[in-house]
Amino acid sequence: MQYLDNYLQSKGGYDYTNVKRNELMKAQGFKEIPFTKTGTTIVGVIFDGGVVMAADTRATAGSIVADKNCEKLHPLAPNIWAAGAGTAADLHHQCAHFNAKLKLQRLNLNRQSRVNEVITKLTTKLFPYRGHIGVALIIGGIDSNGPQLASVSPHGNYVYHPFQSMGSGSLAALGILEAKFQDGLTKQQAIDLAIEAIEAGIFHDMGSGSNVDVVAITKEGVDYRRNIRQFNAKSHQKQIPYHFPANNTPALRKYEFNFEKQELSEIGQEMEIIE
Amino acid sequence: MSGIFEYNGGSIVGMKGKNCIAMACDRRFGQQMSTITTNYQKVFKIQDNILLALSGLNSDIHTFYALMEKEINLYNLKENRKMKPTTFANLVASALYERRFGPFFVTPIVAGLENGKPILATYDSIGCKSDLDDFQVGGTGGNYIYGACEAFFKPDLSPEELEEVIGQSLVSGCDRDSLSGWGGVVYVLTEQKLTVKILKTKQT
């Protein structure tokens, strides 16, 4: 059956060789560590002539903040961006995969990518995986049908609406959006509204925090502002920073590998070596 | 029976300095509460300018390291050139995500120097790459080392200072974790050389 293994290997996609072993370990009682999730508050708002998307920048692993300043806004095409909540690895790799897929399609067809194409491709991919690919996305872009905003859930459901929010902080953000959204906003008003909605998510939700990223997509182009607002910058500096003198930590042995000479030598003279 | 990642224990940490990069790991290899050896290698030199540190289930550490060695050797043979650290960092992310539904129980840290610029990336067990911070931790003692790093770390340290800071962070963190410790090894990588220092801790 060697040829089958080779065929599957060259086909690409997911590798399931460890699944049986992992199931056995789980049955024996071992628990996995939590994957990095993006807790998250993400929002999208349509304005007159384009769409604005905003996200917070905290990534969590269980209750620890794994990344204080991660990027949750991913470009899928020059005119379409995605904001992602859910399992961070899935978001990063799926968005990279779709970015490449859409680029290839644009090269073949010489046509701008459309938002409804992205939604169809995404949902047809996600549905067969029954929600196990944990991506909850807000897709926003501008194409020949005008500005569009949709949200896609991990099971493959999608919804088009002039304003969206997703993630653990979505309810906090939705409160702001429901109260203050109206049709015919200007670009700056939409950006301000999106930032306010993310702010609500950052302060009310434990899974969201740090800074706000914003991207505004119009016919003229894309305006990406990384860390446009920093609510949680370090407010104090260490008064007397730690300073360790050289060779402070005692060592048993010390080696040096020189790259140019490609040789390994043991260093003995400079410091107290305890045998 | 606790978690799969706590079965063998171990901690790793990586830090960026001024045109240099440092990695440190403890030396314990255990099976739950027993300690099997105190000289287990967890940091591997993939290439002259790339270091790979792995923590988690030791059998997967070994398997994943062998897989990465294979990939880089094939790359060198096919492309007839060295792999850049950023390329290797992406390769690790893809290799982990390929096993999304049957993951390797490892949390790697990749450190390298690309044209003198330090590169540092960490991943969860399914390939979520995180490369923005100035230090990264992994393993059972990781959370304790986080605290020590936040206190001791300064940006743009020289190689000698960085060696001290990372050594102290590792030792302070591992002292609070029963599954890590039994020695420490500090690797400092600069353009010219790789320095390996085996630390004397409370129990070596």
Side-chain angles (χ1 to χ4, degrees):
Chain A
M1 297 290 254
Q2 182 69 45
Y3 78 92
L4 265 183
D5 292 331
N6 290 337
Y7 170 65
L8 286 169
Q9 190 65 35
S10 62
K11 224 166 150 250
Y14 291 122
D15 185 328
Y16 294 99
T17 45
N18 276 346
V19 174
K20 219 177 192 168
R21 175 198 76 157
N22 293 359
E23 291 296 313
L24 276 170
M25 290 178 94
K26 231 198 273 201
Q28 281 172 9
F30 289 105
K31 292 192 303 287
E32 295 184 352
I33 57 162
F35 303 141
T36 306
K37 302 216 148 183
T38 57
T40 306
T41 314
I42 46 175
V43 299
V45 177
I46 287 192
F47 63 90
D48 202 13
V51 57
V52 155
M53 292 172 25
D56 74 306
T57 61
R58 174 181 286 183
T60 52
S63 61
I64 304 289
V65 176
D67 195 339
K68 294 187 269 195
N69 201 6
C70 74
E71 291 182 335
K72 303 190 191 178
L73 294 170
H74 309 275
L76 295 180
N79 57 324
I80 305 174
W81 279 61
T87 309
D90 286 329
L91 284 167
H92 174 251
H93 288 271
Q94 295 299 326
C95 284
H97 178 77
F98 278 103
N99 190 323
K101 204 166 171 180
L102 290 171
K103 189 163 191 178
L104 198 58
Q105 190 189 42
R106 283 201 301 281
L107 286 168
N108 277 324
L109 303 178
N110 199 21
R111 290 269 182 284
Q112 194 193 43
S113 301
R114 294 189 188 181
V115 174
N116 54 19
E117 268 172 20
V118 175
I119 303 292
T120 315
K121 284 180 164 59
L122 256 176
T123 49
T124 47
K125 165 128 197 218
L126 290 175
F127 181 69
Y129 284 93
R130 315 293 295 160
H132 286 286
I133 299 184
V135 296
L137 296 161
I138 296 182
I139 312 287
I142 188 157
D143 57 27
S144 50
N145 295 327
Q148 285 156 83
L149 187 68
S151 68
V152 177
S153 84
H155 286 268
N157 177 44
Y158 65 92
V159 168
Y160 281 86
H161 202 65
F163 59 89
Q164 306 270 11
S165 78
M166 289 202 104
S168 55
S170 64
L171 291 173
L174 211 49
I176 302 287
L177 291 173
E178 288 282 6
K180 300 197 177 179
F181 177 82
Q182 40 190 316
D183 288 323
L185 290 168
T186 65
K187 179 175 164 188
Q188 192 53 48
Q189 285 173 331
I191 290 177
D192 292 336
L193 177 60
I195 293 176
E196 223 185 306
I198 299 291
E199 193 184 339
I202 285 175
F203 286 114
H204 287 287
D205 176 42
M206 301 251 309
S208 313
S210 300
N211 317 311
V212 184
D213 294 344
V214 162
V215 66
I217 310 167
T218 55
K219 262 205 162 46
E220 284 77 54
V222 167
D223 190 8
Y224 176 49
R225 312 277 191 81
R226 171 92 166 121
N227 292 353
I228 192 175
R229 221 35 128 246
Q230 300 192 329
F231 294 111
N232 296 310
K234 265 199 171 127
S235 57
H236 60 277
Q237 287 302 315
K238 291 191 271 285
Q239 293 287 10
I240 306 169
Y242 284 97
H243 175 70
F244 300 105
N247 301 325
N248 178 53
T249 320
L252 288 174
R253 264 187 207 83
K254 193 167 176 181
Y255 299 94
E256 188 181 284
F257 182 77
N258 187 299
F259 295 135
E260 207 184 311
K261 296 183 227 159
Q262 288 286 307
E263 63 184 29
L264 179 70
S265 53
E266 181 157 358
I267 308 174
Q269 276 68 49
E270 298 100 339
M271 52 197 293
E272 181 200 332
I273 302 284
I274 302 126
E275 281 297 332
Chain B
M1 295 277 190
S2 56
I4 300 174
F5 283 86
E6 279 90 56
Y7 185 70
N8 293 124
S11 308
I12 51 175
V13 53
M15 269 191 196
K16 284 190 198 174
K18 195 172 178 68
N19 300 329
C20 62
I21 201 103
M23 277 284 222
C25 65
D26 72 317
R27 306 189 76 191
R28 180 180 178 270
F29 167 27
Q31 275 180 358
Q32 294 191 301
M33 284 292 128
S34 313
T35 302
I36 308 293
T37 86
T38 54
N39 62 354
Y40 197 80
Q41 185 187 7
K42 292 172 196 151
V43 176
F44 305 95
K45 183 168 86 85
I46 297 288
Q47 207 171 257
D48 274 352
N49 59 341
I50 303 176
L51 290 173
L52 173 68
L54 293 162
S55 71
L57 189 68
N58 278 9
S59 114
D60 278 351
I61 287 178
H62 190 77
T63 309
F64 192 75
Y65 162 63
L67 186 67
M68 289 299 104
E69 264 288 289
K70 178 197 92 168
E71 292 290 339
I72 204 153
N73 286 340
L74 279 175
Y75 185 92
N76 288 337
L77 285 168
K78 284 188 202 172
E79 307 250 340
N80 197 25
R81 64 189 172 108
K82 291 201 172 140
M83 196 187 267
K84 290 201 200 125
T86 36
T87 313
F88 183 70
N90 286 328
L91 178 65
V92 170
S94 300
L96 289 169
Y97 191 68
E98 202 182 2
R99 287 154 185 80
R100 166 66 174 84
F101 298 114
F104 284 122
F105 299 119
V106 292
T107 46
I109 300 181
V110 168
L113 280 175
E114 191 161 317
N115 299 327
K117 199 168 83 81
I119 305 287
L120 187 67
T122 192
Y123 314 81
D124 66 350
S125 58
I126 49 171
C128 169
K129 184 168 75 123
S130 167
D131 55 6
L132 299 170
D133 285 332
D134 294 322
F135 54 84
Q136 304 283 9
V137 303
T140 51
N143 294 335
Y144 309 114
I145 303 177
Y146 257 143
C149 287
E150 288 277 4
F152 297 151
F153 180 80
K154 278 194 309 252
D156 290 331
L157 289 163
S158 72
E160 294 75 29
E161 290 173 304
L162 191 64
E163 191 180 55
E164 287 305 315
V165 169
I166 201 176
Q168 288 292 328
S169 303
L170 176 82
V171 170
S172 310
C174 288
D175 273 353
R176 282 290 181 182
D177 179 30
S178 54
L179 300 171
S180 310
W182 285 101
V185 191
V186 176
Y187 299 77
V188 181
L189 185 66
T190 59
E191 287 269 295
Q192 293 77 32
K193 60 183 192 242
L194 170 69
T195 327
V196 181
K197 183 164 143 186
I198 302 174
L199 302 174
K200 177 172 164 43
T201 59
K202 279 197 256 193
Q203 282 165 316
T204 5

